[in-house]
């Protein structure tokens, strides 16, 4: 039966401040906690484990909504969906052999609606916004989140307002506009755009769906962990490389593994979580290296990997906690390495990564070379968006069809 139309039992009990543990009621509108920190959704996992089995799950259509019992939407009628398929895991044998590493996989999230894994979070956030009666939503974005929000909001009949740094890739800005959002370019960074959204929510009543400022995007991103564990036969790879901006996916996956373990579907093994950032914007890596619990906002943030150009993340302590608890690490790569890695993956494996995805491959190579990752460890890289959204090197070779062609020179 269709996962988006079948009514299924739900198990949300309450929300909880990720910092203080204070409890908040479910089924009400929430932003940050009183402590100004992200709220996490909590479930009756005992009940969930009794209501759903792995076999039952296996029989459902292969999309994100097969995990309904792990998600907060109460009524199927509120689901706003564009076909959030399970994304493939692609093994890279050639590259693994070239660089002498263990099993290497790419999780290709570029196949999702709107071409990025932001669809997971925004699909959930917009569905919950509909369930809670919201009609206008707003966010700051480096591109992909805004595109996903615009698409789901339009589908739900909601107004959406998007603010991007003025150097956001132009295809992203156009995509956001084409999908029905009101979009503006701002002469600043995503954090500056966030301040504009904050002002607008206070004055106009827009609901702020900034990363981790509302509690449901992370539940959508959590499906990355559920899906990965299921695809690995209820197991996990040894190491996960995650391109980290706001960190929702990393935090979400960590939450997923915890919930799965609590219902007995996953054993003790956890992947080592690796936060990958670009050398031009690496607040999490700096905090990790300094042994700090929180990151210091990064000055003059710049990188070709726009999706991870986030100078300050409100969930910084949650990212750092997951990285440390998992015995992972945070690592930086520079833009040259990102572009070279994109090239290598495309030419050798036929996979066109987005720059952020390429950053994870660059980081994997660096970690392997320095011994941070062992040769016998399996590694999974997140390609979070389709490579087609990004500028590629120009091609200017042409053939004059009226002249003889020297085929040997081609
Ligand atoms: C948003 C985004 C990221 C960062 O994801 P977070 O979960 O916010 O850290 C990485 N890559 C791309 C392409 C993105 O759009």
């Amino acid at each position: 039966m269709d996962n988006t139309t079948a009514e299924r039992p739900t198990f949300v009990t309450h929300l909880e401040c990720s910092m203080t543990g204070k409890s908040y009621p479910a089924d009400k509108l929430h932003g940050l906690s009183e402590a100004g920190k992200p709220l996490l959704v909590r479930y009756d996992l005992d009940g969930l484990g009794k209501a759903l089995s792995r076999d039952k799950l296996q029989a459902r259509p292969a999309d994100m909504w097969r995990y309904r019992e792990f998600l907060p939407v109460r009524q199927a009628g509120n689901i706003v969906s564009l076909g959030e398929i399970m994304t493939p895991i692609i093994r890279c044998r050639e590259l693994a052999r070239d660089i002498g590493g263990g099993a290497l996989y790419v999780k290709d999230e570029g196949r999702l609606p709107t071409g990025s894994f932001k669809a997971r979070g925004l699909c959930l956030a917009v569905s919950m916004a509909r369930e809670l009666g919201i009609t206008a939503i707003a966010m700051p974005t480096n591109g992909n989140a805004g595109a996903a929000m615009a698409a789901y909001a339009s589908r739900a009949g909601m107004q959406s307002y998007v603010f991007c740094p003025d150097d956001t890739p132009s295809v992203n800005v156009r995509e956001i506009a084409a999908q029905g959002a009101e979009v503006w370019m701002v002469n600043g960074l995503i954090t500056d755009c966030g301040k504009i959204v904050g002002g607008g929510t206070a004055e106009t009543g827009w609901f702020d769906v900034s990363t981790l400022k509302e509690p449901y995007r992370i539940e959508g991103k959590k499906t990355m962990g559920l899906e990965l564990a299921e695809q690995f036969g209820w197991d996990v790879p040894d190491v996960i490389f995650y391109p980290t901006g706001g960190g929702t996916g990393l935090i979400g996956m960590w939450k997923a593994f915890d919930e799965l373990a609590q219902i007995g579907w996953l054993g003790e093994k956890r992947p080592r979580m690796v936060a990958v950032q670009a050398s031009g914007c690496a607040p999490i890596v700096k905090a990790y290296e300094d042994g700090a619990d929180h990151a210091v906002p990064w000055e003059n943030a710049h990188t070709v990997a726009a999706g991870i150009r986030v100078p300050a993340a409100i969930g910084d302590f949650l990212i750092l906690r997951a990285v440390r608890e998992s015995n992972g690490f945070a690592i930086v790569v520079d833009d040259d390495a990102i572009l070279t890695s994109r090239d290598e993956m495309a030419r050798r494996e036929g996979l066109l990564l987005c720059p952020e995805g390429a950053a994870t491959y660059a980081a994997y190579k660096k970690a392997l070379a320095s011994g941070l990752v062992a040769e016998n460890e399996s590694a999974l890289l997140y390609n979070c968006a389709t490579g087609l959204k990004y500028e590629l090197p120009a091609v200017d070779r042409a053939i004059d069809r009226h002249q003889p062609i020297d085929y040997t020179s081609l």
Side-chain angles (χ1 to χ4, degrees), residues 240-312:
I240 291 178
F241 283 79
Y242 188 80
T244 306
T248 340
L250 195 151
I251 303 165
M253 276 192 275
W254 196 240
K255 187 171 189 280
F257 299 142
D258 185 50
E259 291 175 0
L260 289 173
Q262 284 195 51
I263 58 171
W265 291 11
L266 202 59
E268 302 231 309
K269 180 182 169 187
R270 292 288 174 283
R272 299 168 64 205
M273 304 298 287
V274 178
V276 177
Q277 296 199 303
S279 51
C281 181
I284 299 295
V285 180
K286 171 114 184 30
Y288 172 77
E289 286 171 352
D290 291 349
D293 291 335
H294 288 270
V296 177
W298 195 266
E299 304 277 341
N300 302 318
H302 62 89
T303 164
V304 288
I308 52 175
R309 195 181 56 168
V310 178

Side-chain angles (χ1 to χ4, degrees), residues 117-118 144 221 242-249 307-308 354 356 384-385 390:
F117 68 179
K118 291 294 192 304
N144 287 322
K221 284 278 194 89
Y242 188 80
T244 306
T248 340
I308 52 175
C354 62
E356 298 79 0
C384 352
Y390 301 84

Side-chain angles (χ1 to χ4, degrees), residues 101-217:
L104 180 63
Y105 305 94
V106 171
K107 180 85 165 134
D108 191 6
E109 298 273 295
R111 322 277 177 110
L112 284 162
T114 70
S116 87
F117 68 179
K118 291 294 192 304
R120 293 182 188 267
L122 273 307
C123 179
L124 235 297
V126 171
S127 298
M128 282 307 291
R130 178 193 263 182
E131 191 152 277
L132 297 171
I134 292 165
T135 55
I137 55 183
M139 71 152 59
T141 181
N142 280 321
N144 287 322
M149 183 178 83
Y152 286 100
S154 291
R155 193 161 173 83
M158 277 176 211
Q159 289 290 331
S160 62
Y161 301 86
V162 180
F163 302 85
C164 323
D166 56 11
D167 58 351
T168 299
S170 110
V171 61
N172 284 127
V173 182
R174 292 171 195 213
E175 181 189 6
I176 293 166
Q179 294 192 127
E182 303 290 340
V183 58
W184 288 272
M185 286 180 280
V186 177
N187 54 348
L189 292 171
I190 188 164
T191 31
D192 303 304
C193 297
K195 284 175 198 145
I196 296 177
V197 170
T201 48
E203 279 206 19
T204 67
W206 302 334
F207 186 65
D208 184 349
V209 277
S210 301
T211 303
L212 291 172
K213 284 194 184 161
E214 66 77 55
Y216 302 112
R217 278 176 65 182

Side-chain angles (χ1 to χ4, degrees), residues 333-409:
V333 289
D334 59 35
D335 280 7
D336 282 347
I338 290 175
L339 296 176
T340 313
S341 298
R342 177 175 70 174
D343 202 49
E344 230 176 275
M345 183 65 81
R347 286 165 184 269
R348 201 81 173 99
E349 298 282 358
L351 268 175
L352 185 59
L353 305 177
C354 62
E356 298 79 0
T360 64
Y361 176 50
Y364 171 64
K365 283 189 290 183
K366 189 174 171 184
L368 192 64
S370 67
L372 277 168
V373 168
E375 283 166 25
N376 60 357
E377 282 184 296
S378 59
L380 182 129
L381 315 175
Y382 264 93
N383 183 49
C384 352
T386 166
L388 293 173
K389 282 203 198 189
Y390 301 84
E391 201 166 320
L392 292 166
V395 175
D396 52 13
R397 299 202 295 184
I399 281 178
D400 180 351
R401 67 189 173 90
H402 301 296
Q403 298 298 321
I405 297 172
D406 174 8
Y407 284 98
T408 58
S409 73

